[in-house]
Every structure is written in structure tokens, then in C-alpha cells.
């Protein structure tokens, strides 16, 4: 009898509909079979039990379970033989097994084994969000939630690949077709059904995965640099008076605007303490001296850290903890004291600074308090990012870190609001998992964890364009979490407001022109005025044959050029800091525009490109002011302005194995590639990042009155 429960093997893709009674399985199976012009397998139990009721007025009992199973398998195998590419099964033995267990508290071993062994390319778990419909064979509508939970758990326990379908029948059909098409694509790429479900639950499309794999295999096209952007050729230089005028203009307009400050802050501070982490891993306190280690490793960073240890804002707290942990601390040698200090600073059971987000670390020591970057950003809101006494501050954070941000903010927010006379609304968002990237090994083969699962890694800060896309504001200030300062906040704020003034002024002119185009035809004089504006003010290249175009085509060009999000970017003079800079860049269509480019995007084997890169005079401090609304006061869809042909390939080591993955175009690189871009020189005082812990020793982060 066991052979009657054998499932026939075939290249046909089998989709099982799975769920409690009256959840639309039969309807969907028929719809899908009709759409794909193929067969579908009905529920054998329905006809079997209907006949039993009609003949004997008896309902289902335990003795019916095996006959139903035999009939269902035979029906499925018969339909499999005539199916066209797909077979849709209204039910399967796992359903029969469940009913046997739920209603009779027993399942025949033959049925149980067959149900577990039967394979389908995908299960659609039908949700209970559709009305229950009564018939002779259905039980009762009560308890649908608990029965649905049993069905779902059964799929999990039996390791079946499933996706839940919700919504009305039209929506379910549309979703199911999309999923089936993507499943087919995934299989052509060599992925299993379980891989596909993992991708689906992660929110990553098969098309995105395919693109990531192609980038890993073939590399990413390098950026074509034309020349560096410099003063009077791509970078605007303002005098102090000009800065004050632009800032005053912004102040005169800001109360009619909704302002928001956007702070990427999701990363941990691991890189800040990289050299200290390496020291703890490599140093042997019993058999080595710190001075010997420093000389051997030429570790000047460690030397600087130890020499200036008492100038760090966290020194007193760590030192106090050391005294409590080690009663004989004062009698220890300097090597032991310094070693234990670093160990306590990074220990997961003590300060754990290497795993905490930068935003919550002590950055500044004032006369009577320690300030974190979070607090400094709150104060900055009151200085330059408030309108009508209100300010909006948005952090992108790791979900695991949000509570730590909230704890700090709740302790200082009222104080900051009183001192700045500003009400600050704080919000958060997480990097969307759908922007993650699949990892591959050095041979571009799919990398899997020890359980055989796909491994994804975050897609980089370029993913934050989706976070930015959800924010509703007229002017958005962007600044990194670690770029804060202890002193001269108002001097820095003047530059921020000047950048915002330039943005608002440009927007007003652009919006005026776009409304003019909507209202009437323009004359040749107005064409000349707009042409000069977009060339000189927006740094947009004019086509060489533009003069021969008819006015209607010129207007279409103007609209395409100007109806875009705008970013005004502060640039500081290049003093050797690593990172991106401003350049004139030629894209794949031959168009030249201003872009922020990282050195990793440049072909350093090409001497011409390398020379252009090295000739850069300015550096990107991530000091942006953005306008993300159009002239109709509608939000742009920022995803439409990303250069999806750009990005980065990052290489890492996981469990001793080399892996690599595609990283999205950076937020201020390819993610904003098709925005209107204005570069403005700003003073170096505005740029005070803390890339390593030793950066906290720089003047911008030190209170000279202390220690």
C-alpha cells in the first residue's frame, strides 16, 4: 500500500495551496491554472466525503484518512502527467496529516511519512482574511486564528518553503503570479525554493539579486572623471559678507518652511577603536611591554592614545571603574594600568565602546558634564534647523540601538529645548533589509552559512536614500553623527544657514521658471535667460546644437533639467583626509555633471584618471542641504534619481573565508547622481569627524580650560 502514496517526479513546477478551510485555496488554484493554461489538482476529500454523506449521512472519521491520502496522491500524479510547466495543487498530504492529528489526535505512520517526504516547489499559505463560507463539509468559523497558526507551524516544523498570501481574490492572484514568475527566475539562476523564500522574506527581488551577482562577477564600471571641480569651475566661493547675506535670506524665509535634520547614525563605533582592538588581540601582558609593542608595530596611534589618555572625555569614568575592579590598581606598573584601561574600555561586560553606536559615546567634556554626539546634534537643531520655534531631528539607527538613543534624548531633551527655545521632534528609521546584498565567495559562488542559508550583509549608506525618501520636509540638513564640535557651533551654523539660503534662493527661481512653462509659451529672450541660469547657476551642460532646437524642445529640456531634487554641498579644502571629493564627471550617455566621487570609484591604473583624482583641491565633509519637493509641493521619488549602474564591491572575511558583496551607490555619490548639485566652499571649522578615538584629541573636541 505504501507505493500508492509515492509522489511522481517531474520537471513540472508544483505549487501547493495550503491553509484552513474556506481560505480561497480552490479559487486560487483554478485562477492560476487558467492563467498558465495548465492543470490543477482538486481536493479529493471533498468528493469522497460528499459521496459518503449523500449515501450514508456519515461524516469523516479516522478510517477515512488513508483512503483520502491514496486518492489525493493518485489525483495529483494524474494531473502531473498532463500539466504545462506548472501544476497547482488545491491540497496535499500535509493537510490530511494535520486534520488527522487535530481531529483524531492520531496520524497513521504511512500518512505521516508520506506527508513529510512529499516535496513542492512552493507552498502558498492562504490567510484567514477572507469570509468563511458554509457548506455541508465545513466545520465551523470559530477558532480560525488558532487553526491557521497550526497550519503555519506545520510548514515551519516540516521545513517547507512557504509564502503567506493575504488580501481579496484579485490581489492574491496578482501576488501569486508575481511570486511564481520570480521563483522561476530564481531557479534559472541556480537558487532553491528555500533560497527564494529567504530572499522574499528579506524583501529583495530576484532582479536585484541577479544584478548584485553580475556586479560581483564583472565588476562595476569606473567613474569617468573629466576634471576636478575647483573654485570658479564647479565650486562657489563666498566671502564672509556673502555667507551672512545668504544666511540672513534663509532666516527671512525659514518660518514658512518645514525644516528637518537628517543624521545617519546606524553604525557601531568599531572602527573608532580598531587599533585598540588589534592591540588587545595581539599584546601579551605577561611577556611583552607596551613600548616594545609600539616600536615593533610602529603603532603611533596607540602611543598617542596612551600619552593623552587623561584628555579623553571618558577617562574619569573608566579610571573610577578601574579603581573599583582592581583594589591594588595604584600599585600596578604603568603597562598594567594602561592595558587594563583599554581592556575595560572595550570589554563587553563593562564599557563595550567598540560595539556601541557612535552617537551615545562621550565625545566632549564640558565644565560640568559629558556630552554625546546626540546632545550636540540636538543643540544644533536649535541654532540652524528650527522654524517657528520647532525643529525635526531624524536619526537612522540600528533597531537594536534605538532604545539607547531614546534613553539619552529623554534625559537631555527638555534642557536643550529650554536653552535653545526650540521644540524638537525626534524620529527614527532603520536601514531597510530589502537593500541588503547577497554575499559570494572569491570565486563568485553563493556563500552560505553552516546551516546552508544565504548570507546577506547591509547594502551600505546608499540604502539610506529610501529612508530620506519617506521624509516630508521643505529643507533637509544632512550631517554625519560624528561630525560635531564642542566650540564655535554658531560659526558652523552660519555656514549651514548660508547653504540653506542658496538652496531656497535657487528653488524659488527654478519654481518660477517651471510654473512659467506650465502657464504659457515663452519667447526667445526668456529662453536665453533660462539657458544662462541653468548653465551658470546650476552647472548644467548645454547641448552643442541647442541653438538649432525649436522652442518647444528647449522647454522640454529645461523641464527635464530643473524638475529634480536639489542638493547644496559644502566642500572644504583638501588636507589629506580620506574620502570623496567634487569632480566633473561624464556618464555613460556622455553627459557631464558635478558629482562627489570616492577614490575607489576611479580607475587608478589609468594615469590620466589618477592625475585628475590627485589634482582635487577640495574634500566632501558630508555637509549637505537638500530640497526634495518639486514646484507643485510634491515629494520627488528619490529612487528615480539614483545611478543604479554605480556602487562598490566590498570584500570581508567571515569565519576565515573571503567573501564579497555589492554595496549600493553611496548616499551622496550615486544615490544622488541625478540631482541638481551645487558645490560651495565652507571653512574647515565645519568638518570635525571622529573616525578614530584619537580624533577626540583635536581642538574642536577639547575644552582648553579643562585639565
Amino acid at each position: 500500500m505504501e507505493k500508492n502514496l509515492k509522489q511522481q517526479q517531474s520537471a513540472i513546477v508544483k505549487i501547493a495551496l495550503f491553509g484552513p478551510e474556506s481560505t480561497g485555496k480552490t479559487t486560487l488554484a483554478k485562477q492560476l491554472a487558467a492563467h498558465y493554461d495548465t492543470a490543477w489538482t482538486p481536493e479529493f476529500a471533498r468528493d469522497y466525503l460528499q459521496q459518503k454523506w449523500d449515501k450514508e449521512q456519515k461524516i469523516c472519521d479516522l478510517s477515512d484518512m488513508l483512503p483520502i491520502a491514496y486518492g489525493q496522491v493518485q489525483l495529483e500524479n494524474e494531473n502531473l502527467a498532463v500539466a504545462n510547466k506548472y501544476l497547482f495543487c488545491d491540497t496535499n498530504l500535509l493537510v490530511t496529516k494535520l486534520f488527522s492529528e487535530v481531529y483524531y489526535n492520531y496520524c497513521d505512520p504511512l500518512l505521516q511519512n508520506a506527508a513529510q517526504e512529499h516535496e513542492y516547489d512552493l507552498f502558498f499559505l492562504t490567510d484567514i482574511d477572507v469570509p468563511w463560507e458554509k457548506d455541508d463539509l465545513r466545520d465551523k468559523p470559530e477558532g480560525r486564528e488558532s487553526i491557521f497558526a497550526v497550519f503555519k507551524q506545520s510548514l515551519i516544523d516540516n521545513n517547507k518553503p512557504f509564502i503567506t498570501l493575504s488580501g481579496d481574490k484579485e490581489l492574491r492572484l496578482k501576488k501569486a503570479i508575481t511570486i511564481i514568475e520570480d521563483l522561476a527566475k530564481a531557479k534559472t539562476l541556480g537558487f532553491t525554493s528555500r533560497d527564494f523564500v529567504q530572499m522574499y522574506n528579506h524583501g529583495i527581488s530576484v532582479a536585484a539579486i541577479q544584478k548584485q551577482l553580475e556586479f560581483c562577477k564583472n565588476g562595476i564600471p569606473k567613474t569617468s572623471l573629466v576634471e576636478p571641480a575647483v573654485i570658479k569651475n564647479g565650486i562657489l566661493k563666498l566671502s564672509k559678507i556673502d555667507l551672512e547675506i545668504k544666511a540672513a535670506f534663509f532666516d527671512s524665509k525659514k518660518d514658512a518652511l518645514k525644516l528637518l535634520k537628517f543624521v545617519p547614525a546606524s553604525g557601531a563605533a568599531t572602527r573608532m577603536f580598531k587599533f585598540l582592538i588589534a592591540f588587545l588581540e595581539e599584546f601579551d601582558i605577561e611577556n611583552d611591554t607596551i613600548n616594545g609593542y609600539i616600536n615593533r608595530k610602529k603603532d603611533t596611534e596607540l602611543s598617542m592614545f596612551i600619552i593623552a589618555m587623561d584628555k579623553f572625555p571618558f577617562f574619569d569614568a573608566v579610571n573610577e571603574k578601574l579603581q573599583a575592579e582592581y583594589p591594588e590598581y595604584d600599585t600596578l606598573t604603568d603597562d598594567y594600568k594602561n592595558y587594563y584601561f583599554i581592556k575595560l574600555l572595550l570589554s563587553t561586560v563593562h564599557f563595550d565602546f567598540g560595539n556601541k553606536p557612535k552617537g551615545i559615546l562621550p565625545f566632549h567634556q564640558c565644565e560640568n558634564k559629558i556630552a554625546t554626539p546626540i546632545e550636540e546634534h540636538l543643540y544644533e537643531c536649535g541654532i540652524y534647523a528650527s522654524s517657528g520655534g520647532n525643529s525635526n531631528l531624524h536619526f537612522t539607527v540600528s533597531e537594536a540601538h534605538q532604545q539607547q538613543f531614546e534613553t539619552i534624548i529623554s534625559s537631555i531633551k527638555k534642557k536643550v529645548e529650554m536653552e535653545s527655545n526650540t521644540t524638537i521632534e525626534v524620529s527614527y528609521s532603520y536601514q531597510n533589509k530589502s537593500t541588503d546584498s547577497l554575499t559570494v565567495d572569491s570565486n563568485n559562488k553563493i556563500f552560505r552559512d553552516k546551516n546552508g542559508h544565504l548570507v546577506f550583509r547591509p547594502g551600505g549608506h546608499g540604502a539610506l536614500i529610501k529612508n530620506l525618501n519617506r521624509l516630508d520636509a521643505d529643507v533637509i540638513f544632512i550631517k554625519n553623527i560624528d561630525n560635531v564640535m564642542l566650540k564655535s557651533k554658531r560659526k558652523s551654523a552660519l555656514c549651514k544657514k548660508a547653504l540653506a539660503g542658496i538652496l531656497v534662493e535657487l528653488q524659488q527661481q527654478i519654481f518660477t521658471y517651471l510654473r512659467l512653462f506650465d502657464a504659457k509659451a515663452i519667447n526667445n529672450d526668456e529662453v536665453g535667460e533660462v539657458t544662462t541660469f541653468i548653465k551658470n547657476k546650476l552647472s548644467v551642460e548645454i547641448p552643442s546644437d541647442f541653438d538649432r532646437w525649436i522652442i518647444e524642445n528647449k522647454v522640454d529640456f529645461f523641464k527635464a533639467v530643473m524638475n529634480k531634487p536639489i542638493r547644496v554641498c559644502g566642500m572644504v579644502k583638501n588636507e589629506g583626509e580620506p574620502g570623496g571629493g567634487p569632480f566633473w564627471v561624464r556618464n555613460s550617455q556622455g553627459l557631464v555633471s558635478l558629482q562627489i566621487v570616492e577614490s575607489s570609484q576611479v580607475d587608478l591604473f589609468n594615469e590620466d584618471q589618477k592625475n585628475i583624482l590627485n589634482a582635487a583641491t577640495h574634500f566632501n565633509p558630508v555637509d549637505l542641504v537638500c530640497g526634495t519637493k518639486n514646484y507643485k509641493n510634491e515629494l520627488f521619488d528619490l529612487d528615480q534619481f539614483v545611478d543604479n549602474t554605480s556602487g562598490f564591491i566590498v570584500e570581508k572575511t567571515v569565519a576565515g573565508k573571503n567573501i564579497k558583496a555589492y554595496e549600493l551607490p553611496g548616499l551622496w555619490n550615486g544615490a544622488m547622481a541625478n540631482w541638481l548639485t551645487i558645490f560651495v566652499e565652507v571653512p574647515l571649522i565645519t568638518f570635525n569627524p571622529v573616525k578614530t578615538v584619537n580624533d577626540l584629541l583635536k581642538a574642536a573636541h577639547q575644552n582648553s580650560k579643562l585639565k
Side-chain angles (χ1 to χ4, degrees):
M1 294 292 285
E2 186 176 351
K3 65 180 181 180
N4 293 326
L5 294 178
K6 288 288 185 182
Q7 194 181 38
Q8 294 295 323
Q9 300 303 307
S10 170
I12 297 296
V13 175
K14 290 187 291 185
I15 308 292
L17 284 302
F18 189 80
E21 61 185 16
S22 192
T23 54
K25 298 187 296 295
T26 303
T27 299
L28 184 58
K30 289 179 178 179
Q31 289 175 316
L32 289 170
H35 178 82
Y36 287 102
D37 190 23
T38 189
W40 69 284
T41 302
E43 183 182 5
F44 177 80
R46 176 160 291 278
D47 288 339
Y48 174 90
L49 294 175
Q50 188 67 58
Q51 289 177 18
K52 182 176 181 178
W53 174 260
D54 291 343
K55 290 179 180 179
E56 307 173 41
Q57 280 72 55
K58 291 183 179 180
I59 61 172
C60 183
D61 59 38
L62 179 61
S63 65
D64 293 312
M65 293 296 99
L66 274 179
I68 288 173
Y70 296 139
Q72 189 64 51
V73 173
Q74 181 180 351
L75 199 55
E76 181 179 308
N77 289 338
E78 289 172 356
N79 281 286
L80 187 66
V82 297
N84 170 33
K85 190 175 181 180
Y86 297 102
L87 176 65
F88 300 99
C89 303
D90 182 14
T91 190
N92 56 82
L93 294 196
L94 199 56
V95 175
T96 312
K97 171 182 177 291
L98 264 183
F99 273 108
S100 183
E101 292 170 341
V102 169
Y103 287 93
Y104 310 114
N105 200 30
Y106 174 80
C107 181
D108 189 286
L110 288 176
L111 172 56
Q112 182 165 330
N113 291 336
Q116 291 170 337
E117 291 173 0
H118 280 205
E119 294 291 340
Y120 296 86
D121 292 274
L122 189 65
F123 285 76
F124 280 132
L125 175 59
T126 49
D127 205 348
I128 56 174
D129 59 342
V130 292
W132 186 84
E133 296 180 6
K134 177 178 174 57
D135 67 19
D136 290 341
L137 301 177
R138 285 181 176 154
D139 197 355
K140 54 185 179 180
E142 294 82 7
R144 296 180 86 196
E145 292 83 0
S146 59
I147 293 296
F148 178 80
V150 170
F151 271 78
K152 182 175 181 179
Q153 191 60 47
S154 177
L155 290 172
I156 296 170
D157 292 343
N158 288 280
N159 195 28
K160 302 298 184 183
F162 75 94
I163 291 173
T164 303
L165 282 182
S166 305
D168 60 32
K169 64 180 182 179
E170 289 79 15
L171 181 59
R172 288 187 183 195
L173 176 61
K174 185 177 179 180
K175 284 182 181 178
I177 290 171
T178 300
I179 292 168
I180 291 166
E181 299 293 334
D182 279 349
L183 173 64
K185 291 177 188 174
K187 285 184 172 293
T188 63
L189 295 173
F191 291 103
T192 67
S193 294
R194 289 174 180 80
D195 291 338
F196 172 72
V197 171
Q198 191 181 348
M199 294 176 204
Y200 183 87
N201 290 336
H202 218 85
I204 306 176
S205 70
V206 177
I209 292 289
Q210 185 173 14
K211 187 181 94 168
Q212 292 170 8
L213 294 175
E214 289 172 353
F215 278 139
C216 286
K217 181 180 179 180
N218 303 320
I220 297 171
K222 294 295 186 180
T223 299
S224 178
L225 302 180
V226 176
E227 59 182 327
V230 297
I231 300 297
K232 296 184 180 179
N233 184 26
I235 300 179
L236 177 64
K237 183 177 178 64
L238 300 178
S239 66
K240 183 181 178 183
I241 293 176
D242 290 333
L243 285 171
E244 291 172 347
I245 291 172
K246 298 298 183 185
F249 176 76
F250 171 68
D251 282 336
S252 70
K253 301 292 183 181
K254 68 178 184 180
D255 283 348
L257 303 170
K258 180 179 179 181
L259 309 182
L260 183 142
K261 186 177 181 184
F262 181 84
V263 182
S266 54
T270 308
R271 290 184 184 179
M272 262 183 75
F273 302 95
K274 185 178 179 180
F275 69 94
L276 294 180
I277 294 170
F279 166 71
L280 289 180
E281 290 175 348
E282 299 170 6
F283 181 67
D284 181 359
I285 185 64
E286 300 292 338
N287 299 298
D288 201 356
T289 65
I290 292 180
N291 192 51
Y293 176 90
I294 290 172
N295 291 334
R296 187 169 64 255
K297 295 287 187 178
K298 296 181 174 57
D299 197 337
T300 56
E301 288 184 295
L302 178 60
S303 177
M304 181 184 297
F305 179 87
I306 291 173
I307 291 170
M309 192 179 283
D310 64 340
K311 291 183 170 58
F312 287 106
F314 48 77
F315 175 80
D316 289 341
V318 177
N319 196 51
E320 182 179 339
K321 187 68 174 176
L322 279 170
Q323 301 284 348
E325 288 287 313
Y326 302 98
E328 305 299 321
Y329 178 75
D330 289 336
T331 67
L332 296 176
T333 65
D334 286 345
D335 267 11
Y336 272 92
K337 287 179 178 179
N338 293 331
Y339 174 77
Y340 286 142
F341 184 96
I342 296 170
K343 190 174 182 179
L344 210 67
L345 184 72
L346 299 177
S347 168
T348 55
V349 296
H350 292 104
F351 289 87
D352 197 23
F353 276 9
N355 293 314
K356 290 181 177 178
K358 282 186 181 181
I360 72 167
L361 298 184
F363 264 35
H364 300 147
Q365 183 170 340
C366 307
E367 283 80 357
N368 56 359
K369 66 173 183 176
I370 300 293
T372 65
I374 293 174
E375 182 172 348
E376 301 293 18
H377 280 287
L378 283 168
Y379 273 112
E380 286 188 12
C381 281
I383 299 173
Y384 64 76
S386 66
S387 60
N390 296 297
S391 184
N392 300 279
L393 176 57
H394 185 90
F395 291 107
T396 65
V397 297
S398 164
E399 190 170 358
H401 293 154
Q402 182 174 335
Q403 182 59 54
Q404 298 174 72
F405 275 71
E406 290 176 343
T407 299
I408 289 176
I409 288 172
S410 65
S411 69
I412 60 175
K413 185 167 174 281
K414 286 185 178 179
K415 177 177 181 292
V416 174
E417 288 179 330
M418 287 181 62
E419 292 182 12
S420 62
N421 196 29
T422 302
T423 300
I424 305 172
E425 210 50 55
V426 181
S427 58
Y428 304 90
S429 63
Y430 315 131
Q431 188 167 314
N432 196 316
K433 286 187 176 181
S434 68
T435 62
D436 288 356
S437 291
L438 184 68
T439 57
V440 298
D441 64 19
S442 55
N443 296 315
N444 297 309
K445 302 297 183 184
I446 303 302
F447 181 77
R448 298 177 184 274
D449 65 16
K450 63 182 180 181
N451 297 315
H453 298 149
L454 303 176
V455 176
F456 297 96
R457 70 179 308 278
H461 68 70
L464 299 182
I465 197 70
K466 293 189 178 297
N467 302 61
L468 194 63
N469 206 20
R470 295 193 293 268
L471 300 178
D472 184 2
D474 299 301
V475 175
I476 300 176
F477 298 90
I478 299 181
K479 196 175 185 185
N480 275 339
I481 185 67
D482 63 337
N483 186 14
V484 291
M485 59 199 309
L486 176 60
K487 299 171 287 187
S488 304
K489 289 186 181 69
R490 295 201 174 273
K491 289 183 181 179
S492 178
L494 176 68
C495 297
K496 273 288 192 183
K497 292 199 287 186
L499 296 181
I502 293 170
L503 173 75
V504 173
E505 193 173 42
L506 285 173
Q507 274 187 324
Q508 287 185 347
Q509 188 61 68
I510 289 169
F511 291 175
T512 297
Y513 286 140
L514 290 172
R515 293 186 186 109
L516 175 67
F517 301 149
D518 283 351
K520 67 179 181 69
I522 64 173
N523 57 42
N524 285 322
D525 288 342
E526 290 167 328
V527 166
E529 178 186 329
V530 177
T531 303
T532 300
F533 172 77
I534 66 171
K535 181 179 179 181
N536 296 339
K537 297 294 185 180
L538 303 182
S539 298
V540 172
E541 186 178 36
I542 304 297
S544 58
D545 61 345
F546 188 73
D547 288 341
R548 297 197 295 272
W549 293 12
I550 62 174
I551 285 184
E552 288 78 9
N553 289 346
K554 290 179 178 179
V555 169
D556 288 341
F557 172 76
F558 292 152
K559 288 180 178 179
V561 163
M562 289 192 285
N563 196 23
K564 294 180 177 182
I566 310 173
R567 57 175 176 164
V568 179
C569 311
M571 292 290 154
V572 297
K573 288 182 179 178
N574 195 334
E575 294 197 348
E577 292 282 356
F583 293 89
W584 291 96
V585 170
R586 191 182 309 279
N587 68 13
S588 57
Q589 287 78 44
L591 300 177
V592 175
S593 62
L594 288 172
Q595 301 291 339
I596 297 171
V597 180
E598 306 285 338
S599 59
S600 60
Q601 296 176 276
V602 180
D603 182 2
L604 298 179
F605 294 102
N606 182 312
E607 285 300 318
D608 288 340
Q609 291 291 290
K610 185 176 179 180
N611 290 336
I612 294 172
L613 178 69
N614 292 335
T617 59
H618 287 72
F619 173 82
N620 162 41
V622 190
D623 197 7
L624 285 71
V625 184
C626 303
T628 57
K629 289 185 177 180
N630 65 18
Y631 68 107
K632 296 179 181 179
N633 202 38
E634 302 163 332
L635 287 169
F636 284 107
D637 179 3
L638 303 182
D639 285 333
Q640 300 303 311
F641 300 90
V642 175
D643 177 7
N644 291 305
T645 66
S646 63
F648 310 90
I649 300 298
V650 294
E651 298 184 7
K652 302 286 182 180
T653 301
V654 174
K657 296 181 180 179
N658 295 325
I659 64 164
K660 58 182 180 178
Y662 169 70
E663 194 167 281
L664 292 165
L667 181 59
W668 35 83
N669 307 110
M672 295 181 174
N674 296 310
W675 291 37
L676 289 171
T677 297
I678 312 298
F679 292 145
V680 182
E681 184 181 84
V682 293
L684 194 59
I685 194 175
T686 64
F687 184 49
N688 303 288
V690 180
K691 301 303 180 186
T692 82
V693 64
N694 286 348
D695 286 333
L696 291 174
L697 300 173
K698 293 180 178 179
H701 302 289
Q702 289 285 313
N703 189 335
S704 59
K705 296 179 181 179
L706 298 175
K707 298 186 180 179

